[in-house]
Amino acid sequence: FYIYAALGSYLFKDINPFLWENIARSMLTLFRVMTFEDWTDIQYETMEVYPWSWLFYMTFIFLTAFAFLNMVIGIVVNVMDKESRLELQACEQELEQSREQQLNEQIAGLRSEITELKQLIVKQGGHGTSNDAS
């Protein structure tokens, strides 16, 4: 960005000092070009003096568009990855809680069955109905 601003200031300041007077103003102009805000007006103005100046704008747009696009895509992918991990963690915690609840229910059921079996054994042992042949 800085290199293009310096080059634009050097090449085009005589054509339109308002847009290319110094590097700071050139950077603002290039930002305008990068965001496609009436950039063709700027390009056609410089092409009247330097017909090859379209190369300056096209290379700048391609480089900044690819860099900007990659940055935005990187941010979006990063955010989506982070959200996906958070959702996965939440699902894992929910699954773990569900498993714990099932285990607790199974343990409670087994305890209940053991209690019933103990009561049956005590009843049978108390009546002397054991049919064991010793």
Side-chain angles (χ1 to χ4, degrees), residues 70-127:
N70 282 336
M71 182 179 66
V72 169
I73 289 172
I75 290 170
V76 169
V77 168
N78 188 24
V79 168
M80 290 182 71
D81 182 52
K82 192 181 295 184
E83 290 298 319
S84 176
R85 288 180 190 212
L86 288 174
E87 187 175 335
L88 182 62
Q89 282 180 337
C91 287
E92 287 175 349
Q93 287 176 351
E94 187 177 308
L95 183 62
E96 184 65 30
Q97 289 173 351
S98 174
R99 286 181 182 163
E100 284 181 26
Q101 184 179 2
Q102 287 175 349
L103 284 175
N104 288 337
E105 289 173 0
Q106 286 178 347
I107 290 171
L110 289 173
R111 285 183 178 162
S112 173
E113 288 180 22
I114 290 172
T115 304
E116 288 176 21
L117 287 173
K118 280 183 181 179
Q119 290 173 352
L120 284 173
I121 291 172
V122 169
K123 269 186 181 179
Q124 285 182 354
H127 293 284

Side-chain angles (χ1 to χ4, degrees), residues 44-87:
Y44 292 138
E45 182 180 41
T46 58
M47 282 180 65
E48 288 177 12
V49 178
Y50 300 112
W52 54 263
S53 66
W54 64 271
L55 277 170
F56 174 85
Y57 295 102
M58 291 300 130
T59 58
F60 175 76
I61 288 171
F62 282 126
L63 291 174
T64 57
F66 287 131
F68 185 72
L69 185 62
N70 282 336
M71 182 179 66
V72 169
I73 289 172
I75 290 170
V76 169
V77 168
N78 188 24
V79 168
M80 290 182 71
D81 182 52
K82 192 181 295 184
E83 290 298 319
S84 176
R85 288 180 190 212
L86 288 174
E87 187 175 335

